[in-house]
Amino acid sequence: MEHVHCRLGDLLAELDMTLVHLSELVDVSVVNLSILKNDRAKAIRFSTLVAICQALDCEIGELLVLK
């Protein structure tokens, strides 16, 4: 069965950006971003998704993929 996989860790590594720095940019706690990064999130707000994609200069499909 496929599930949604968050590529946040990969995208952060490509940009040499820390989770702490992203947290400051998008005003989301490091804990919540860590949950997302480690594929433990059950939901994500659209506003958070948009903020992350803007900060990482990526599309939603680059951040979230089916795996």
Side-chain angles (χ1 to χ4, degrees):
M1 183 165 138
E2 289 185 317
H3 67 277
V4 175
H5 169 66
C6 182
R7 296 188 60 249
L8 183 56
D10 298 332
L11 295 173
L12 287 172
E14 288 173 17
L15 296 172
D16 196 29
M17 183 185 296
T18 66
L19 208 56
V20 172
H21 186 228
L22 179 63
S23 172
E24 293 166 354
L25 292 174
V26 299
D27 196 30
V28 175
S29 73
V30 174
V31 171
N32 284 338
L33 289 175
S34 180
I35 289 168
L36 185 61
K37 178 181 162 214
N38 292 311
D39 283 334
R40 293 190 315 250
K42 300 291 184 203
I44 183 171
R45 292 175 188 239
F46 286 149
S47 59
T48 301
L49 190 56
V50 169
I52 291 171
C53 287
Q54 287 174 339
L56 299 179
D57 191 29
C58 71
E59 296 293 324
I60 293 169
E62 295 173 84
L63 179 64
L64 301 175
V65 297
L66 286 177
K67 190 172 185 180

